[in-house]
Amino acid sequence: MVERMIIDCDPGHDDALAIILAAGNPNIDLMAITTVAGNQTIEKVTRNALSVCAIAGITDVPVAQGAGVPLVRPQIVAPDIHGESGLDGPVLPEPQIELDPRRAVDLIIDLVMENEPGTINLVPTGPLTNVALAMKVEPRIVERVKRVILMGGSYTRGNSTPSAEFNILADPEAAQAVFAGAWPVTMVGLDQTHQATADADIVARIAAIDSPLSEFVVEILTFFGTTYKDVQGFDAPPVHDLCCVAKLVNPAVFATRDAFVGVELTGRWTTGMTVTDFDNLLDQEHNTQVATTLDKQLLWDMTINAISVLSKGSAA
Ligand code: BDR
Ligand code: CA
């Protein structure tokens, strides 16, 4: 079965891989790429999205720029992990396509309202600002979206603070609105994505594809590996955002458990924490499927296959 999806992203090394998996997987119909400020400013991440499209040969997917600042709080960005451009490492290819003239929020709303209810999946891999704004502007999208599968949060630990993951901390009010929405939400958090590492054998398999795209991916992973080693002590970089794209078309990649997830908005030390209640301790209705185990082999097999597929038509 082919799943239609919109990726709302802030590329970002792992967002770039997520776009590549979405474009190269035969069971995904990538309807749009929308950008949101997160890993870097909106201008930088939008330019990066266009560069990824150029190297991957993605020419027929609309790309729209979205929110430049969070709903309420001051902006945070992540140059320590993603560099000054937001996608440091490779030489970034010149964009080959024009941006869609619509704002990201309008493109999301248009696609969800124009297509049959229950056919469009939203896959956010950055802060949730655009998605929360789209819900406000057109509340009917909530009942029409098939599923929201987001990378963000965790039930064990944070990465930006001890308890908060970057995408949620960057716009906690937006995240809270998305979790509280009456649509099916899947949270793919750090608990699992920290295991989705691009180990040396994976990088070697990608390099063996031997195309301009595979070379680009290796350069991305090499830079990402360096910052993850320096900043967080990882032996190989965790490629978070890939995970929710894989989950969309292959549920076997992650097992999930139902839980209530609420975002901490007022904690002194815990703002941005995704408080996850599997056991009904808070007496709240479950609102989220939470990823709890990862089939790493399957994740990387799917990703490497997508890079091979796109390499057959990618830019020289
Ligand atoms: C998330 O934050 C960003 O740095 C990554 O792109 C990913 O979406 C991981 O915390
Ligand atoms: Ca991201």
Side-chain angles (χ1 to χ4, degrees):
M1 172 176 173
V2 172
E3 295 281 356
R4 292 179 181 162
M5 66 168 267
I6 300 170
I7 186 165
D8 185 62
C9 57
D10 60 337
H13 297 69
D14 49 336
D15 303 82
L17 265 288
I19 292 171
I20 289 166
L21 174 57
N25 185 289
N27 295 322
I28 293 178
D29 183 358
L30 181 58
M31 308 285 288
I33 299 168
T34 54
T35 62
V36 62
N39 288 323
Q40 264 298 353
T41 61
I42 191 63
E43 291 77 17
K44 290 181 181 178
V45 299
T46 303
R47 154 76 207 225
N48 295 344
L50 293 172
S51 291
V52 172
C53 289
I55 189 74
I58 303 168
T59 54
D60 55 354
V61 177
V63 180
Q65 179 165 300
V69 288
L71 295 185
V72 178
R73 306 194 184 227
Q75 181 169 41
I76 57 170
V77 291
D80 53 335
I81 297 289
H82 296 275
E84 272 313 311
S85 71
L87 194 53
D88 276 12
V91 174
L92 294 175
E94 281 301 312
Q96 302 292 318
I97 54 174
E98 296 286 326
L99 268 184
D100 192 279
R102 287 168 285 187
R103 305 282 307 171
V105 167
D106 296 321
L107 179 55
I108 292 169
I109 291 171
D110 285 354
L111 287 171
V112 173
M113 298 308 289
E114 280 163 9
N115 284 278
E116 283 292 302
T119 59
I120 303 283
N121 297 279
L122 293 183
V123 180
T125 62
L128 289 151
T129 320
N130 289 339
V131 182
L133 286 171
M135 294 169 81
K136 270 274 182 224
V137 173
E138 179 46 276
R140 287 177 298 171
I141 67 167
V142 172
E143 67 203 26
R144 295 177 73 95
V145 163
K146 183 172 181 187
R147 178 161 285 284
V148 179
I149 304 185
L150 63 91
M151 191 284 130
S154 81
Y155 55 89
T156 52
R157 53 161 287 188
N159 57 1
S160 290
T161 73
S163 45
E165 182 278 329
F166 177 82
N167 289 340
I168 307 297
L169 184 68
D171 198 340
E173 284 75 16
Q176 172 55 25
V178 172
F179 281 108
W183 48 13
V185 176
T186 302
M187 176 173 97
V188 185
L190 295 176
D191 327 284
Q192 301 312 315
T193 68
H194 272 164
Q195 298 170 39
T197 46
D199 305 327
D201 61 316
I202 304 288
V203 178
R205 283 173 65 194
I206 296 170
I209 297 170
D210 195 21
S211 69
L213 177 60
S214 69
E215 203 175 302
F216 179 81
V217 172
V218 169
E219 286 170 358
I220 282 182
L221 292 174
T222 303
F223 182 89
F224 207 34
T226 308
T227 56
Y228 255 98
K229 178 82 186 157
D230 292 349
V231 178
Q232 297 203 27
F234 277 66
D235 288 334
V239 189
H240 312 274
D241 296 340
L242 261 187
C243 297
C244 26
V245 179
K247 170 72 178 163
L248 172 67
V249 281
N250 201 334
V253 179
F254 294 94
T256 58
R257 279 180 68 194
D258 289 346
F260 165 75
V261 177
V263 178
E264 182 61 86
L265 300 178
T266 56
R268 180 175 176 201
W269 306 110
T270 54
T271 297
M273 180 179 188
T274 43
V275 177
T276 305
D277 183 10
F278 292 109
D279 302 318
N280 300 320
L281 300 174
L282 298 173
D283 204 17
Q284 299 289 315
E285 205 172 307
H286 288 175
N287 59 1
T288 305
Q289 291 186 1
V290 179
T292 52
T293 63
L294 163 67
D295 184 337
K296 182 173 169 182
Q297 173 83 30
L298 186 52
L299 172 78
W300 284 111
D301 286 350
M302 290 171 71
T303 305
I304 290 165
N305 186 58
I307 298 169
S308 299
V309 167
L310 292 177
S311 290
K312 298 198 173 93
S314 76

